[in-house]
Amino acid sequence: MFLKNLSLTNYRNYETMSLSFDGPIQLFIGNNAQGKTNALESIYVLALAKSHRTPRDKELISWDADYATIRSDVLRRYGSVRLELQLTTKGKRAKINGMEQQKLSAYVGALNVVMFAPEDLSIVKGAPAQRRRFIDMEIGQVSPTYLYYLSNYNKVLAQRNQLLKDLAMKKSNSLEMLAIWNTQLADLAVKLLRKRFEFLRKLETWAQEIHTGITDGRERLSLHYVNSSPVTEEMTIDQAVDKMLAAYEEVRDREIMRGSTLIGPHRDDFSLKVNNMDVQTYGSQGQQRTSALSIKLAEIELIKEEVGEYPVLLLDDVLSELDEHRQTLLLETIQDRVQTFVSTTGVEGLKHQVLQQASRFYVREGKISGER
């Protein structure tokens, strides 16, 4: 997977920008607040139709514009694909080879990316919502059906929560309607959970091997799904749906009292353990960073396994956060295999041979100049 070019119109601090790429490593160099992260973010948004930095699309549009557009020609193993994403205050329009996609779930996956930024340490030590977002975004890249299920789950969840609030406020007494929402939500919840279980097992397999290599065999990393419901991997679909429905009945009074759905994928989490010790709570900063790096490198391999080619890697100011050993391991992993975009304030501390051969782009006040 290879981005041949990138064009931006009215994207954050870029009025217009057009670049071509011909090497495996692209360095974006500039001081802070000049637009380096914006450039890398635009590639992420082009791939996933949403930002890793903000849930509000209007923040991606230049303040005096009505829309923003991101375009790129992406070389896939089956040929070249032209992607275009237009962001407006009223929604998004996504095109593949000039054909507008009616659903974003049909668009996401045309370009696969892995983003690694300093804030990605929150995967290890942040709140459960951050890990849920991580797992949803990564599964969504390789499984359009997961995005479809997730979208429907969130719609039904909102309807069910509103009914629970109405029941709590005595605005409704329709337990029959609650039973209908229970059936719909349970079915979607089980579909999401089965995808999550499968994804986490595959991610763990890759992450364990990588983590063992980084630590010279001293540490073993494991990932554990933290489930708010009684559904397990071993259950059949019918068994899991029955368990979920029974769980809804068990907590019904508490849910009505709180006006909120208390169990399901929207409440779940996953934990990371090194040598059976919880890294989030007891791990050193070095162990947390190594765990985060292992997961990110595992993502690259998992996507390659799922789609048959490596994703594009975005390293946003992260190399300065890694010591020389971890930096070297990351760069040797991607060498000559993964097209990589790196943002940095300077190249002085980046001594690895891979980076010395990179194409360099200098960023200043929303303008990018190239030097080969």
Side-chain angles (χ1 to χ4, degrees):
M1 209 167 297
F2 190 94
L3 262 69
K4 297 193 287 187
N5 48 51
L6 178 67
S7 298
L8 303 178
T9 304
N10 300 329
Y11 188 88
R12 291 219 187 242
N13 67 330
Y14 292 100
E15 184 179 348
T16 59
M17 186 270 278
S18 184
L19 297 174
S20 296
F21 312 117
D22 58 14
I25 311 290
Q26 324 296 326
L27 276 179
F28 287 77
I29 305 163
N31 294 328
N32 292 328
Q34 300 302 302
K36 304 186 306 295
T37 293
N38 293 346
L40 266 64
E41 176 196 42
S42 71
I43 299 172
Y44 186 94
V45 173
L46 181 66
L48 289 159
K50 61 176 65 178
S51 170
H52 65 295
R53 298 158 72 195
T54 175
R56 293 178 288 276
D57 288 343
K58 69 178 183 179
E59 293 182 16
L60 308 178
I61 303 170
S62 299
W63 70 272
D64 57 345
D66 297 323
Y67 71 94
T69 304
I70 312 167
R71 297 184 185 89
S72 180
D73 293 301
V74 182
L75 187 62
R76 299 289 305 257
R77 59 191 172 93
Y78 51 76
S80 185
V81 179
R82 172 160 290 186
L83 301 182
E84 179 178 325
L85 185 68
Q86 187 174 85
L87 308 165
T88 73
T89 54
K90 296 181 180 178
K92 305 180 182 81
R93 295 179 63 190
K95 295 181 181 179
I96 300 177
N97 292 331
M99 298 286 292
E100 186 166 349
Q101 305 299 300
Q102 297 305 310
K103 294 181 179 180
L104 285 176
S105 59
Y107 170 85
V108 174
L111 168 64
N112 301 119
V113 300
V114 170
M115 167 71 81
F116 193 15
E119 59 265 27
D120 284 318
L121 290 172
S122 64
I123 294 173
V124 177
K125 61 183 182 181
Q130 292 168 301
R131 284 182 291 280
R132 284 195 296 271
R133 186 175 188 276
F134 161 77
I135 206 169
D136 286 340
M137 298 292 276
E138 299 317 316
I139 300 175
Q141 284 203 71
V142 296
S143 174
T145 56
Y146 183 86
L147 289 180
Y148 176 76
Y149 295 150
L150 183 63
S151 175
N152 286 343
Y153 179 88
N154 287 331
K155 290 174 184 176
V156 175
L157 179 66
Q159 297 275 13
R160 187 176 189 273
N161 283 343
Q162 185 58 57
L163 178 57
L164 289 170
K165 290 182 176 71
D166 290 345
L167 289 167
M169 300 289 290
K170 308 298 184 185
K171 293 181 180 179
S172 172
N173 61 358
S174 181
L175 295 179
E176 294 83 3
M177 181 56 70
L178 183 61
I180 292 172
W181 290 132
N182 286 357
T183 300
Q184 293 187 24
L185 199 64
D187 178 65
L188 291 164
V190 168
K191 288 175 178 174
L192 292 178
L193 286 171
R194 289 171 71 86
K195 287 283 189 182
R196 286 186 180 183
F197 293 153
E198 178 187 17
F199 171 80
L200 209 62
R201 291 288 70 79
K202 289 181 178 180
L203 188 68
E204 180 186 58
T205 299
W206 283 110
Q208 278 182 346
E209 181 179 337
I210 292 164
H211 195 92
T212 298
I214 297 175
T215 61
D216 296 322
R218 296 187 307 272
E219 295 180 356
R220 184 178 188 275
L221 177 68
S222 58
L223 308 180
H224 304 268
Y225 195 81
V226 181
N227 203 338
S228 62
S229 76
V231 174
T232 65
E233 281 187 80
E234 296 74 27
M235 292 177 181
T236 65
I237 292 177
D238 289 343
Q239 288 172 336
V241 169
D242 288 343
K243 277 285 186 182
M244 189 67 75
L245 289 171
Y248 289 147
E249 285 298 315
E250 189 174 324
V251 298
R252 184 181 69 186
D253 292 343
R254 279 199 294 139
E255 287 189 329
I256 291 174
M257 183 174 64
R258 297 191 188 185
S260 179
T261 302
L262 300 180
I263 57 174
H266 65 290
R267 293 270 184 165
D268 293 350
D269 194 3
F270 72 91
S271 65
L272 301 92
K273 293 184 179 181
V274 168
N275 297 340
N276 294 318
M277 177 188 69
D278 192 293
V279 183
Q280 290 134 300
T281 305
Y282 302 108
S284 66
Q285 186 177 67
Q287 286 174 320
Q288 291 175 346
R289 286 170 186 258
T290 300
S291 298
L293 177 58
S294 297
I295 286 178
K296 284 296 171 179
L297 293 177
E299 273 187 79
I300 294 171
E301 298 298 340
L302 192 153
I303 290 175
K304 166 67 162 59
E305 180 183 285
E306 292 292 315
V307 305
E309 54 190 319
Y310 283 108
V312 171
L313 178 61
L314 309 173
L315 300 177
D316 185 20
D317 253 345
V318 77
L319 290 180
S320 60
E321 298 286 324
L322 301 174
D323 60 27
E324 188 174 344
H325 174 61
R326 294 181 180 89
Q327 202 180 102
T328 298
L329 184 109
L330 171 58
L331 294 172
E332 288 181 350
T333 299
I334 64 175
Q335 189 169 11
D336 299 327
R337 293 195 296 170
V338 182
Q339 187 188 27
T340 304
F341 294 80
V342 181
S343 71
T344 180
T345 54
V347 296
E348 298 77 21
L350 307 180
K351 304 185 188 305
H352 198 280
Q353 183 181 358
V354 171
L355 297 178
Q356 299 306 313
Q357 300 170 348
S359 299
R360 298 186 180 186
F361 298 92
Y362 293 88
V363 185
R364 185 176 181 183
E365 296 179 351
K367 305 288 184 184
I368 299 182
S369 58
E371 177 183 292
R372 304 284 167 162

